[in-house]
Amino acid sequence: MSPDLHLEKIKPSRSYSLYNFKLSSFSFITVSTSSRSICLPKSGTVRHGFPYQPSAMAFDPVQKILAIGTQSGALRLFGRPGVECYCQHESGAAVIQLQFLINEGALVSALTDDSVHLWNLRQKRPAILHSLKFNRERITFCHLPFQSKWLYIGTERGNVHIVNVESFMLSGYVIMWNKAIELSSKAHPGPVVHISDNPMDEGKLIIGFESGIVVLWDLKSKKADYRYTYDEAIHSVAWHHEGKQFICSHSDGTLTIWNIRGQGKPVQTITPHGKEDGKKPESCKPILKVEYKTTRNGDPFIIFSGGLSYDTVGRRPCLTVMHGKSVAVLEMDYPIVDFLTLCETPYPNDFQEPYAVVVLLEKDLVVIDLAQNGYPIFENPYPLTIHESPVTCCEYFADCPVDLIPALYSVGSRQKRQGYSKKEWPISGGNWGQGTQILLLSFCLMLQVLYKLKTAKVFDRNRSKEDKGSTDVSDEDPFAIQIMTWCPESRMLCVAGVSANVIIYRFSKLEVTTEVLLEVRMQYELNDTDSPDGGGGGGEQTAAHPTPGAFPQTSGPPSHPSTSSNNSDGGNIPCLKVRSTPLKQSPGYQVDLVVQSVWVSGEPPQPITSLALSSSYGLVVFGNSNGLVVVDYIQKTVVLNLGTVELYGSNDPYQRQPRSPRKTRQPSGGSTTSEDRCKSPTSGKVCFTSLCFPPIVLLSVCPPRGANPLDHRDNSFSRSRSSSVTSIDKEAREAVSSFHFCEGFARKGDSTLTPCLYVGTSLGTLLVLALTLPPAGEQRQLQPVIISPTGVLVRLKGSIMRMAFLDSTGILLTSAFEPWFEPNVTADEEREKVRKRRPVSVSPSTTQDFNESQFAVVCSEKQAKVISLPSQTCIYKHSITETSFILRADIVQMNPGVCVACFCANGHIMTLSVPGLRPLMDVNYLPLTDMRIARTFCFTNLGQAMYLCSPTEIQRITYSQETCENLQEMLGELFTPVETPEAPNRGFFKGLFGGGAQSLDREELFGELAAGKASRSLAQHIPGPGGIEGMKGAASGVVGELARARIALDERGQKLGELEERTAAMMASADSFSKHAHDMMLKCKDKKWYQF
């Protein structure tokens, strides 16, 4: 009979409560690197995140190591938090199955290209020792018994082959399908879907065929003892530990339990999720996998995936745990790929005592605690959730302030979800490398999520019924994050979204409730030329001092227009509505100001193409294809709203042709409002991740519903990037592509340094704007900031990508910054102290000698130049690429000096010396095949770079020679010397009457002497490079080997001592037995036979 169904709906996946909605996120990663020279070996790479498209999983119960294979042939191995490893099969074929050689430091992988590989895990970088490629048969299943060197391989033809894992050679012993099934059966049984040996008798092998036939094969007699037939296809088989019963899962959602000596019908048939319809339960979805685990002091566990009723449309994938009469259905967020039950013993013939279930989902890894009521999940310590929404941009920061990581961690720890299991994470194998133990070493290999921030909470997502009926939906989510800038020293954060909005955040350790969020609406007017006039030439500017409770704006449009109030001029309305209800802001990043571009004359605001922030000056600047806007976030005003043409003044070098006026459009087309851009009720989110210490990676993620163009480039990257006069005339607009705040020489021949804003455009022009700032303190709150364009500094081919400044000695000048302070202070004295705080400037002081100069390093899509200031003469020039263009360029600090690092669309990574612009490295590293790589690739100081190599994984690379040389010591160790648990005690009576487990000499059956040689055409043996790599690893880890040898000697001495004690006990027992036998003989010596 089927047990009573007590459905207990549990949500074990973290994304259930935390990530129930789509998000926009940041991640921060900490790394500190040092470098002497530049190189780019592939051995210097580290991968983080969830394995993309997982397909198989295995666990070593003694070493406590988890292995995950993917559809692209990748292997990810996980130990304790901080111990991770990435490997790749060269063929790139999908991994269909993984098998550990338990406590042997080896792993067997089977691929869809019908190859089997043996990986050596005893070295820090696992490598393949042997490979076996089948030529005539397709591999469908593998099984490696515990403490055996013979691997069973099932094929699509229904045959079973046997491989020696030490030599990786095929045995001549083959189990043919026609000998396994009934002789009277003419139909092929189908592929082999399961192989396992009887836990109590290694000479009995159970083989499951897809058609529903199960065969108990006697290895010694080479014939089938029993055959079990069921009408439905089989998906998996599991043994009871006593070896007298096994359970099968079928395609109709049933479980059948069989006695090995009763081959007629199953002793029990269960349809766990089937409704009783008369005599026979209704058919359900297939049960893809089942496991049967026993406990010493309780009911057994039957755990399976699938098997739900067909009428549960839209129900999430489930894992079912049957324990006694209770059935718990655990819903998952994503489809289940595989699951494994973790048990206390590795021996299959002992009580299993399951304590956890590892569930591999398509996009998550969940570990369920079976020992606690309610089956809570373990808190996952691995950084596997960066993909909870698609990543749209990424920034990488090195050498962050030492107090920054603890600050982020302290506020992020309050965000953790409650209700996790209180036990320690069960995957705890391996040892940390030197790089993760010494936190100040040059390269940290661990990633840790620190803090998450939801950006969409700033906006109102409520919509009217009329709005919901519109079909005009934006291609991207309106809350998607497009660009980020962050000042680690002041902890100021600025985010630009796809809806032409900019949000400025301050970091606070105190919780506040903001009654009304301050908003600045920026608008512009279009004229008949290709570039708009801004605030200095006819454009309108927002009010200087907003009053509390009101949004500063130019013409005062309604805060949220209805569908009936669509004015003919398009309405001066933003794309998103800032929420007017009180917003509770937890400790961490809190909204300080929201800036939005608005619709003007039927023209939607252009996407933001560049963004910069200066905490020292209190300014934020962003640009688009029309011009730029400078916002004073201290006074909450727009300082400058200027079109690109106005930046040149009367010295515009380009003859721009007038263009035809566009037809006036409604904000979202037809009769719909701009609120239709907010169709998706998603929530923006910011994630902070740490890689152990000072360096940090900033990730923004959001859920786009369509393609996310990168600066409006073609996906094919085939458009000409030439900046000749003819192509300039064809450009629709001159967009602002980059910014840089610095103290420099604003004009040619200047003798003093002044605060400047450098502006780069898409036509390769670098312009200078001089900033006049009020004195610090009270006057900074009242007096306006004055900005004066001073002209063109230099022109390059292609769009300006990056710029930086050096002093006269060649040292990289970083922008001035204001140290972080608590913004939510309450005491008036502290407020006054904050107002009088002077910004810390790392630029040279204005009292330096007039003879000293600066060097401006400017990099565009095509070339790089070094300009001497204040003379404004070009002293070095280098053409980086002619046939391609640069996707990302950064001027980075290396220990010996500074270099320009570039990533080209053709996949080349190049570095140039500074200031000489001499090529240092040119490596064809990564052919650009995905826009995701172009959006997320970024460099940082100390010879590191990173990008999103898949939708769920971050790839970190290094071009630092010192890091590459020390990488072997920094890597963690997967294999550690651990003693294998003792085999279960057979007991006196089982040993006396033969009731215990029966061993088998497989060498005698499968060896070449007994079974002969296998056909050479069946499979090809390929030696792997693991032997050489193992020698290198051993040479670099002599200390570790000595430690292992010492441990082995200690274990041997301990075992010898135990053996001596057992020998002495046996001798004492023998003496006692001899004495009792002698006494009995003396007692009975004189008795007659009839006296007994």
Side-chain angles (χ1 to χ4, degrees):
M1 294 180 60
S2 174
D4 297 334
L5 224 69
H6 302 291
L7 298 183
E8 183 180 351
K9 185 175 180 180
I10 313 174
K11 301 178 179 181
S13 177
R14 296 178 307 284
S15 47
Y16 253 167
S17 61
L18 287 179
Y19 314 124
N20 198 7
F21 34 75
K22 296 181 180 179
L23 318 164
S24 301
S25 311
F26 300 102
S27 294
F28 288 77
I29 304 175
T30 61
V31 195
S32 47
T33 42
S34 58
S35 135
R36 291 193 307 266
S37 57
I38 293 178
C39 69
L40 192 65
K42 290 191 176 181
S43 62
T45 63
V46 182
R47 185 165 293 192
H48 304 285
F50 183 78
Y52 183 55
Q53 294 180 335
S55 57
M57 179 173 60
F59 182 73
D60 188 326
V62 179
Q63 288 289 319
K64 307 290 186 184
I65 295 292
L66 181 72
I68 297 177
T70 71
Q71 295 182 20
S72 60
L75 279 181
R76 293 285 299 278
L77 296 121
F78 298 91
R80 65 179 61 189
V83 178
E84 297 180 26
C85 186
Y86 162 74
C87 314
Q88 177 68 47
H89 292 91
E90 290 186 2
S91 65
V95 179
I96 59 175
Q97 198 170 355
L98 297 172
Q99 288 274 314
F100 272 103
L101 276 69
I102 296 176
N103 204 26
E104 296 292 335
L107 176 71
V108 175
S109 59
L111 310 185
T112 53
D113 64 351
D114 307 314
S115 62
V116 185
H117 307 272
L118 177 65
W119 291 83
N120 179 17
L121 307 183
R122 289 176 177 259
Q123 55 199 57
K124 292 190 174 182
R125 282 199 172 275
I128 294 177
L129 289 172
H130 301 282
S131 297
L132 195 65
K133 180 73 166 62
F134 279 74
N135 299 322
R136 296 183 298 181
E137 297 197 50
R138 305 296 306 272
I139 298 174
T140 57
F141 194 86
C142 298
H143 171 64
L144 180 65
F146 177 49
Q147 293 182 329
S148 170
K149 67 176 183 178
W150 296 97
L151 174 70
Y152 301 101
I153 298 179
T155 67
E156 194 174 41
R157 292 185 180 180
N159 303 325
V160 177
H161 300 276
I162 302 171
V163 178
N164 187 319
V165 293
E166 292 181 350
S167 61
F168 242 58
M169 301 298 292
L170 271 174
S171 168
Y173 192 111
V174 181
I175 304 175
M176 306 299 291
W177 67 270
N178 54 355
K179 294 182 179 180
I181 65 173
E182 294 280 358
L183 296 178
S184 59
S185 176
K186 297 181 180 180
H188 191 279
V192 175
V193 296
H194 180 84
I195 306 172
S196 60
D197 52 343
N198 190 315
M200 286 295 180
D201 188 354
E202 296 176 351
K204 307 293 184 180
L205 193 69
I206 202 166
I207 306 170
F209 297 93
E210 189 180 59
S211 62
I213 300 175
V214 178
V215 176
L216 186 65
W217 182 264
D218 190 321
L219 292 172
K220 293 182 179 179
S221 62
K222 299 182 181 180
K223 64 179 183 179
D225 284 350
Y226 298 100
R227 297 178 179 89
Y228 318 89
T229 304
Y230 194 71
D231 295 336
E232 298 293 335
I234 289 178
H235 286 278
S236 69
V237 183
W239 279 101
H240 187 279
H241 85 276
E242 292 180 349
K244 298 177 181 179
Q245 286 186 336
F246 61 89
I247 186 171
C248 302
S249 67
H250 300 277
S251 59
D252 62 345
T254 60
L255 298 172
T256 56
I257 299 177
W258 303 76
N259 285 332
I260 61 171
R261 298 186 183 277
Q263 56 180 340
K265 292 183 179 181
V267 295
Q268 190 176 9
T269 302
I270 307 172
T271 308
H273 298 291
K275 298 179 181 178
E276 295 290 341
D277 185 11
K279 297 182 179 180
K280 186 178 180 181
E282 66 172 350
S283 180
C284 296
K285 297 178 182 178
I287 296 179
L288 301 178
K289 184 177 181 180
V290 63
E291 291 199 350
Y292 196 5
K293 302 299 180 182
T294 57
T295 59
R296 195 176 302 274
N297 300 318
D299 296 320
F301 283 86
I302 297 178
I303 305 170
F304 61 89
S305 60
L308 294 179
S309 176
Y310 280 104
D311 60 2
T312 55
V313 179
R315 189 170 182 179
R316 294 175 176 175
C318 294
L319 183 79
T320 305
V321 179
M322 301 174 61
H323 186 215
K325 293 185 178 181
S326 68
V327 178
V329 181
L330 312 180
E331 289 189 346
M332 303 291 162
D333 284 343
Y334 309 103
I336 298 174
V337 177
D338 195 5
F339 73 90
L340 294 171
T341 306
L342 308 188
C343 302
E344 296 289 350
T345 176
Y347 293 94
N349 58 354
D350 193 10
F351 288 96
Q352 303 300 294
E353 302 294 343
Y355 60 90
V357 180
V358 181
V359 187
L360 178 63
L361 308 178
E362 282 190 358
K363 295 183 179 180
D364 202 357
L365 181 70
V366 178
V367 182
I368 304 167
D369 188 353
L370 292 178
Q372 294 188 29
N373 294 330
Y375 303 134
I377 66 170
F378 290 87
E379 184 178 5
N380 198 324
Y382 307 133
L384 302 181
T385 58
I386 60 174
H387 64 283
E388 58 194 13
S389 293
V391 177
T392 55
C393 62
C394 174
E395 296 294 337
Y396 196 1
F397 297 85
D399 286 344
C400 294
V402 293
D403 60 340
L404 182 62
I405 303 301
L408 291 173
Y409 181 81
S410 64
V411 295
S413 60
R414 306 178 191 179
Q415 300 176 328
K416 292 185 177 180
R417 176 186 145 186
Q418 303 299 320
Y420 289 112
S421 172
K422 297 180 180 179
K423 294 184 178 180
E424 294 185 359
W425 181 250
I427 305 169
S428 56
N431 283 329
W432 292 312
Q434 187 178 0
T436 48
Q437 290 175 332
I438 304 176
L439 298 175
L440 298 180
L441 202 66
S442 60
F443 197 75
C444 298
L445 307 180
M446 180 179 175
L447 183 78
Q448 180 183 2
V449 177
L450 293 177
Y451 174 72
K452 299 180 181 180
L453 171 65
K454 301 177 182 178
T455 61
K457 291 197 302 183
V458 178
F459 301 104
D460 190 357
R461 297 191 298 273
N462 295 327
R463 298 161 297 178
S464 63
K465 294 182 180 179
E466 293 81 0
D467 293 335
K468 293 180 181 179
S470 171
T471 58
D472 182 17
V473 180
S474 171
D475 289 338
E476 294 179 290
D477 190 278
F479 306 111
I481 297 172
Q482 194 170 18
I483 309 175
M484 300 173 294
T485 182
W486 186 50
C487 178
E489 290 79 12
S490 65
R491 304 182 190 175
M492 293 292 298
L493 174 65
C494 193
V495 177
V498 296
S499 299
N501 60 281
V502 174
I503 310 174
I504 303 170
Y505 291 91
R506 288 183 183 270
F507 185 86
S508 173
K509 295 182 179 180
L510 304 177
E511 181 179 293
V512 296
T513 299
T514 306
E515 294 296 330
V516 178
L517 293 175
L518 290 174
E519 179 187 15
V520 174
R521 292 185 180 178
M522 186 277 294
Q523 73 178 48
Y524 54 86
E525 290 183 353
L526 294 173
N527 57 14
D528 291 335
T529 62
D530 284 317
S531 295
D533 290 335
E540 297 183 10
Q541 187 170 312
T542 61
H545 298 283
T547 58
F551 297 141
Q553 53 200 17
T554 306
S555 54
S559 60
H560 179 52
S562 64
T563 55
S564 61
S565 62
N566 289 322
N567 8 13
S568 59
D569 62 352
N572 299 331
I573 55 176
C575 298
L576 300 174
K577 178 188 175 185
V578 176
R579 62 182 295 169
S580 56
T581 56
L583 176 63
K584 182 180 178 180
Q585 304 197 72
S586 302
Y589 276 99
Q590 300 170 352
V591 181
D592 187 57
L593 183 65
V594 180
V595 183
Q596 293 201 84
S597 299
V598 298
W599 287 67
V600 177
S601 302
E603 291 286 342
Q606 297 298 314
I608 296 173
T609 57
S610 53
L611 179 69
L613 175 143
S614 173
S615 62
S616 175
Y617 305 153
L619 301 176
V620 167
V621 57
F622 63 93
N624 56 21
S625 59
N626 293 323
L628 61 88
V629 177
V630 181
V631 177
D632 185 344
Y633 63 79
I634 295 178
Q635 299 184 18
K636 307 294 190 297
T637 63
V638 174
V639 178
L640 185 68
N641 179 9
L642 201 61
T644 312
V645 176
E646 298 299 321
L647 292 173
Y648 293 95
S650 59
N651 299 321
D652 188 356
Y654 308 116
Q655 297 181 2
R656 305 168 199 267
Q657 300 297 326
R659 61 185 175 91
S660 301
R662 297 184 181 180
K663 184 179 179 180
T664 300
R665 299 193 288 127
Q666 297 296 332
S668 294
S671 61
T672 59
T673 66
S674 64
E675 192 68 15
D676 289 325
R677 296 199 56 174
C678 311
K679 285 290 178 181
S680 176
T682 60
S683 173
K685 191 166 190 178
V686 183
C687 258
F688 293 63
T689 319
S690 105
L691 270 165
C692 267
F693 261 61
I696 286 193
V697 174
L698 184 60
L699 293 176
S700 82
V701 306
C702 79
R705 289 195 296 271
N708 185 23
L710 178 68
D711 298 342
H712 302 286
R713 292 175 184 143
D714 299 299
N715 285 344
S716 62
F717 295 104
S718 59
R719 180 163 61 92
S720 172
R721 313 302 297 177
S722 172
S723 60
S724 63
V725 176
T726 56
S727 64
I728 289 175
D729 292 338
K730 294 178 182 178
E731 289 283 351
R733 293 175 179 175
E734 183 178 10
V736 177
S737 59
S738 60
F739 294 109
H740 187 77
F741 285 101
C742 186
E743 290 189 7
F745 299 97
R747 297 171 179 82
K748 185 175 183 178
D750 277 1
S751 58
T752 58
L753 294 170
T754 58
C756 296
L757 171 61
Y758 294 86
V759 181
T761 72
S762 59
L763 298 187
T765 304
L766 180 61
L767 303 109
V768 187
L769 279 71
L771 309 177
T772 303
L773 302 171
E778 196 72 31
Q779 298 184 46
R780 180 64 182 86
Q781 304 283 337
L782 302 175
Q783 296 183 15
V785 176
I786 301 173
I787 302 179
S788 306
T790 62
V792 177
L793 176 61
V794 69
R795 293 189 181 92
L796 290 81
K797 291 182 180 179
S799 177
I800 301 293
M801 304 292 293
R802 197 71 59 187
M803 61 197 87
F805 291 82
L806 312 177
D807 64 9
S808 58
T809 62
I811 298 177
L812 183 65
L813 299 176
T814 56
S815 301
F817 61 87
E818 182 182 48
W820 175 80
F821 61 91
E822 176 56 59
N824 297 320
V825 290
T826 55
D828 295 337
E829 298 80 11
E830 292 185 13
R831 291 182 183 272
E832 192 65 25
K833 183 179 180 181
V834 168
R835 289 177 182 174
K836 293 181 179 179
R837 187 188 299 264
R838 297 289 299 178
V840 175
S841 176
V842 294
S843 299
S845 65
T846 56
T847 59
Q848 65 177 356
D849 296 337
F850 295 158
N851 293 331
E852 282 192 319
S853 63
Q854 284 184 340
F855 298 101
V857 183
V858 188
C859 185
S860 72
E861 290 179 325
K862 294 288 187 179
Q863 60 180 186
K865 288 185 179 181
V866 176
I867 311 300
S868 177
L869 300 176
S871 62
Q872 298 187 0
T873 57
C874 178
I875 57 175
Y876 295 104
K877 176 181 177 181
H878 179 74
S879 179
I880 300 176
T881 178
E882 292 292 341
T883 58
S884 183
F885 61 94
I886 296 173
L887 291 169
R888 177 71 184 231
D890 287 289
I891 293 92
V892 295
Q893 179 72 54
M894 305 289 285
N895 266 0
V898 184
C899 72
V900 179
C902 307
F903 174 55
C904 278
N906 59 10
H908 283 249
I909 295 179
M910 296 172 284
T911 57
L912 307 173
S913 66
V914 173
L917 299 182
R918 180 172 55 88
L920 300 177
M921 181 187 72
D922 186 352
V923 177
N924 187 8
Y925 174 73
L926 181 71
L928 186 65
T929 56
D930 199 325
M931 283 292 296
R932 176 185 60 252
I933 299 174
R935 284 197 301 264
T936 58
F937 200 101
C938 56
F939 296 93
T940 188
N941 292 335
L942 306 176
Q944 295 186 54
M946 68 175 295
Y947 61 93
L948 217 68
C949 59
S950 73
T952 64
E953 294 171 292
I954 293 176
Q955 181 72 53
R956 289 170 53 204
I957 62 176
T958 177
Y959 46 96
S960 163
Q961 181 68 33
E962 182 176 351
T963 302
C964 295
E965 293 173 354
N966 297 330
L967 189 64
Q968 188 70 23
E969 292 299 327
M970 290 183 248
L971 293 172
E973 294 182 355
L974 289 170
F975 179 80
T976 55
V978 179
E979 185 177 356
T980 303
E982 290 187 5
N985 189 3
R986 298 174 62 186
F988 175 77
F989 290 102
K990 286 186 178 181
L992 183 64
F993 298 105
Q998 299 181 20
S999 60
L1000 173 72
D1001 187 356
R1002 294 186 177 92
E1003 183 69 33
E1004 183 180 343
L1005 285 176
F1006 307 144
E1008 186 175 337
L1009 294 177
K1013 292 184 178 181
S1015 173
R1016 293 186 178 180
S1017 61
L1018 180 62
Q1020 177 185 3
H1021 176 258
I1022 306 171
I1028 300 176
E1029 295 294 332
M1031 292 173 62
K1032 293 181 180 178
S1036 62
V1038 176
V1039 176
E1041 293 297 333
L1042 290 175
R1044 295 189 190 99
R1046 189 181 302 111
I1047 294 174
L1049 288 174
D1050 293 341
E1051 292 176 353
R1052 183 180 179 186
Q1054 183 179 357
K1055 290 181 179 179
L1056 289 175
E1058 293 174 356
L1059 179 61
E1060 184 178 354
E1061 292 176 358
R1062 291 178 185 175
T1063 304
M1066 290 176 62
M1067 292 178 63
S1069 178
D1071 292 341
S1072 176
F1073 180 77
S1074 175
K1075 180 179 179 182
H1076 285 297
H1078 183 70
D1079 292 342
M1080 182 65 69
M1081 184 267 295
L1082 294 177
K1083 184 177 180 181
C1084 302
K1085 181 175 65 171
D1086 297 331
K1087 289 185 178 182
K1088 304 297 182 181
W1089 62 270
Y1090 52 83
Q1091 292 178 326
F1092 286 98

